[in-house]
Amino acid sequence: MTDTATLDIQPGRLFIGGEWQDAASGSTFDTINPATAEPLTQVAEAGAEDVDRAVRAAREAFESDAWQNLDARKRGKLLYAIADRLEERADELAALETMDNGKPVREARMIDIKESIDCFRYYAGWADKIAGDVIPVPGPYLNYTRREPVGVCGAIIPWNYPLQMAAWKVAPAIACGNTVVLKPAEQTPLTALELARAASDAGLPAGVLNVIPGFGESAGGALVNHPDVDKIAFTGSTAIGKLIQRQAADSLKKVSLELGGKSPNIVLDDADIEAAVRGASMAIFYNSGQACTAGSRLLVHEKIRDEFVEKLLKRAAGFVPGDPMNPKTRLGPLVSEEQLDRVLGYIEKGKQEGAELLLGGDRVEVGGKRGYFLNPTVFGNVTPRMTIACEEIFGPVLAVQTFSDMDEAIQIGNASEYGLAAAVWTRDVRKAHHVAHKLRAGTVWINTYHNLDTASPFGGYKQSGYGRELGRYALDLYTQVKSVWVNLA
Ligand code: NAP
Ligand code: MG
C-alpha cells in the first residue's frame, strides 16, 4: 500500500471571500483513505454560520464592479488560467483524488483530472460567446435579449468524481458571470479545496468561488435554504434531489438535478460479442460501479446468453481489487464503509430474492489493510422486479437478465424510474438507431459505453433529474434571459 506520506496533505480549511478560514464553530472532520480505512487529514466543517458568510461573500463579489464590469474575454482568461494551474499539478491532484476517493490513480489522472482541466478550457472559450438575439417585433421597436448570469449559485456535489463534478458546475457558472458556493461531498473534500487554491493562484477575484466542506444536512441544507442563493446545482442521489427540490420551493430558487441511474446495457443477438463483453464489464466495473451511468442492468438476448456470460465472467475475474495508487490497478475500493455496507446489503438481497451469484459478492483484503474492497460481482437469473434490477446499487455489481426480441429489450430497458443512460450493441445500423430512439434516457451509447465529453450534453430523463450539464446546454442553467424593448418612434 502506498505510503500516504508521499503527499504532504495539509488540514483543509474553508475558502471564503478569497481567504482560508476555520469554521465558526471550530469543528473539523476526518477524511478517510478508503484503501486503508485510515484518516488522511482533518477538514474544517462548515455550519450554517459559515454558509451564510460564504453566501454573503459570493453576493458581494457578484455585485462588485470588478466582476460586473469585467470583460467576458477576461473571464475566459481567468478560466484558462485555472485550467493551467490544475494542469501544472495534474499528477499530484490525481494522487490526492485517489487517496481521498479510492479510484485507480491511472483513471484519476487520465479521466478525472484531465476532464476537469478540459472543462475549464471549454467554458473559457464560451465566456465571450454568450450572446442574446435581436427579435423581429411589430411596430417601431427594437427588441433584443441579453443572457445575464443567474447570481449566486450553490453547487452540491457527490464523491464519485470529486474534482470533475466541481468543474462541471464551477466552470460554466463562472463563464456565465455568476459566483459560486461549492459544497463538496464529506467523503472527498480535498480536491475541491485544491480547485479553490488554483482559482486563487489564477487571480480569480475574491468571493467568486467559495468552497465550504461539510455535511449534507447542515452545510448543504443551509445552502439550499439560504434566501440569498439564486440557484442550486445538485448531483447525487434521487432521494436528496427530491428533498432539495422541495426545500428550494420556499424561495423559488432555480434548481438543476443530476441524479441516479439504473442504466440498461442491451446486447442484441447480432452484436460483436467480444466487443460487447469488453464494453459490458467496463460499463459496470469502471470506478467500482460508483458511476451514475454505470451499466448495472445487462440485458442479453437469450440466444447468446450462455456464451456471453461465460466470456463476461472470465473478463470480470480480471478486475482484481488492488492498491489504487498502483498504476496497473483497474479496480479500487468503494468510497466508504457505509457505501461498502450498502452494496453488501444489496448483494444479500439479490441472493435472498433468488438471483444466482455467478461471481464475487465478497469483501476482500488488499495489502493487509481493512480498506473497503469488494470483488467484482455478477448475478445471473435476475428478473425485472428483483431489488438488484431496480435500485441503484452504486457498486461493482452486475445484474444479468435476458430477453427474446428487440421490443422486449426496449420494454425492460425502459421499465425503470430512472433514465440517465443506456446502451445497445448490434451490427445492424437500423436496429441500433431504432433502439437508441426508443430508450428513454439522456445518453444512449451504440456499440460503446461511458463516453463523455465536455462538449456533449449530459443529464437525465424521468427520476434521473432535469437540466443538461456540459456543452452549450449548460449555459442555459447558468444564465437567465432578459428582453429589452426600445422605442424607435
Ligand atoms: P447524497 O446524499 O445524495 O450526496 C450528494 C451530495 O448532497 C453530498 O454533497 C451530500 O453531502 C449532499 N447532501 C446530502 N444531504 C443533503 C441535504 N439534506 N441537503 C443538501 N445537501 C445534501 O449521496 P450519498 O449519500 O453520498 O450516496 C448515497 C447514494 O446516492 C449512493 O449509494 C448512490 O446510489 C447515490 N449517488 C448517486 C450519485 C450520482 O452521481 N447520481 C452520486 C453519489 C451518490 P454529504 O457528503 O455530507 O452527504
Ligand atoms: Mg475520503
Side-chain angles (χ1 to χ4, degrees):
M1 205 56 57
T2 306
D3 186 359
T4 50
T6 52
L7 263 193
D8 178 27
I9 302 176
Q10 297 293 316
R13 301 175 78 194
L14 313 177
F15 186 71
I16 298 177
E19 283 169 16
W20 296 100
Q21 308 185 4
D22 293 322
S25 65
S27 297
T28 62
F29 63 99
D30 284 344
T31 188
I32 307 286
N33 180 346
T36 62
E38 285 160 7
L40 283 169
T41 189
Q42 288 82 42
V43 177
E45 185 209 327
E49 203 181 323
D50 306 298
V51 172
D52 184 55
R53 252 184 316 135
V55 172
R56 279 193 278 123
R59 173 61 59 192
E60 203 177 304
F62 180 70
E63 285 174 358
S64 69
D65 288 345
W67 190 240
Q68 290 280 334
N69 299 338
L70 191 71
D71 284 352
R73 205 154 290 177
K74 289 194 177 147
R75 278 205 313 273
K77 276 183 98 172
L78 287 168
L79 292 171
Y80 280 123
I82 294 175
D84 291 345
R85 297 290 88 78
L86 295 175
E87 196 167 51
E88 283 161 15
R89 300 178 54 208
D91 290 339
E92 189 191 332
L93 291 172
L96 190 63
E97 199 74 301
T98 290
M99 285 182 180
D100 212 9
N101 163 283
K103 64 177 60 206
V105 71
R106 187 162 170 274
E107 288 169 15
R109 178 66 185 83
M110 300 308 292
I111 297 164
D112 295 69
I113 308 304
K114 178 179 166 294
E115 292 299 322
S116 302
I117 295 165
D118 195 57
C119 185
F120 277 94
R121 296 221 165 102
Y122 177 85
Y123 286 105
W126 265 114
D128 62 354
K129 297 168 195 71
I130 300 165
D133 299 308
V134 176
I135 299 171
V137 288
Y141 297 100
L142 166 66
N143 178 238
Y144 66 94
T145 59
R146 285 164 54 79
R147 282 201 165 260
E148 298 188 345
V150 176
V152 174
C153 299
I156 300 176
I157 58 171
W159 41 259
N160 53 347
Y161 296 89
L163 185 63
Q164 211 179 337
M165 290 300 102
W168 283 21
K169 290 172 171 55
V170 172
I174 292 179
C176 294
N178 300 279
T179 59
V180 180
V181 179
L182 168 68
K183 194 206 85 68
E186 65 185 71
Q187 296 84 352
T188 55
L190 297 179
T191 50
L193 294 172
E194 293 309 316
L195 175 62
R197 196 180 309 283
S200 171
D201 292 348
L204 193 74
V208 172
L209 173 63
N210 307 275
V211 182
I212 46 152
F215 298 130
E217 234 181 285
S218 47
L223 195 55
V224 173
N225 287 307
H226 199 293
D228 207 27
V229 172
D230 297 294
K231 178 202 160 68
I232 294 286
F234 172 78
T235 298
S237 61
T238 295
I240 299 296
K242 288 179 183 177
L243 181 73
I244 286 178
Q245 176 160 345
R246 275 196 290 271
Q247 290 179 346
D250 282 340
S251 58
L252 269 185
K253 287 184 177 59
K254 293 167 191 16
V255 176
S256 50
L257 301 173
E258 200 269 278
L259 308 175
K262 190 74 189 174
S263 301
N265 189 13
I266 299 173
V267 186
L268 302 187
D269 56 353
D270 67 347
D272 173 342
I273 291 190
E274 303 299 330
V277 164
R278 281 196 303 275
S281 46
M282 189 268 285
I284 186 64
F285 300 129
Y286 165 59
N287 213 32
S288 296
Q290 301 169 122
C292 44
T293 49
S296 50
R297 288 190 292 152
L298 178 65
L299 312 185
V300 187
H301 194 289
E302 61 189 12
K303 268 208 288 204
I304 57 166
R305 190 263 179 201
D306 290 349
E307 180 191 354
F308 195 95
V309 167
E310 195 191 314
K311 290 185 166 158
L312 178 79
L313 293 179
K314 266 201 201 119
R315 192 160 182 96
F319 281 81
V320 181
D323 174 4
M325 289 299 276
N326 181 339
K328 294 209 175 88
T329 294
R330 297 283 307 279
L331 196 73
L334 299 184
V335 74
S336 64
E337 181 137 38
E338 188 190 357
Q339 189 62 17
L340 178 70
D341 288 344
R342 189 180 342 221
V343 175
L344 286 169
Y346 276 113
I347 291 169
E348 219 27 64
K349 197 113 197 185
K351 291 190 219 162
Q352 278 167 17
E353 292 181 6
E356 185 188 356
L357 183 63
L358 300 173
L359 187 75
D362 50 330
R363 183 177 185 171
V364 279
E365 218 175 71
V366 172
K369 303 266 184 170
R370 284 297 285 170
Y372 314 125
F373 292 92
L374 186 68
N375 271 318
T377 300
V378 178
F379 276 105
N381 288 339
V382 177
T383 55
R385 291 244 174 93
M386 288 180 182
T387 307
I388 59 168
C390 299
E391 295 185 16
E392 182 174 54
I393 298 176
F394 236 61
V397 181
L398 182 63
V400 185
Q401 304 174 56
T402 55
F403 61 86
S404 53
D405 65 42
M406 185 171 69
D407 288 338
E408 192 193 1
I410 294 167
Q411 183 267 321
I412 299 173
N414 282 335
S416 167
E417 63 193 31
Y418 295 114
L420 192 59
V424 58
W425 299 80
T426 172
R427 288 189 167 102
D428 183 327
V429 71
R430 190 189 61 83
K431 288 182 181 171
H433 291 286
H434 177 76
V435 176
H437 295 190
K438 290 287 176 196
L439 287 170
R440 298 194 61 213
T443 296
V444 180
W445 290 292
I446 297 173
N447 295 332
T448 183
Y449 207 98
H450 272 325
N451 307 61
L452 267 183
D453 188 82
T454 316
S456 180
F458 183 84
Y461 281 34
K462 299 194 270 182
Q463 293 194 31
S464 292
Y466 54 85
R468 290 293 175 270
E469 299 195 281
L470 302 185
R472 67 181 162 79
Y473 298 85
L475 306 176
D476 294 336
L477 301 181
Y478 294 101
T479 57
Q480 50 194 343
V481 176
K482 179 180 281 173
S483 175
V484 182
W485 291 80
V486 188
N487 187 346
L488 299 177

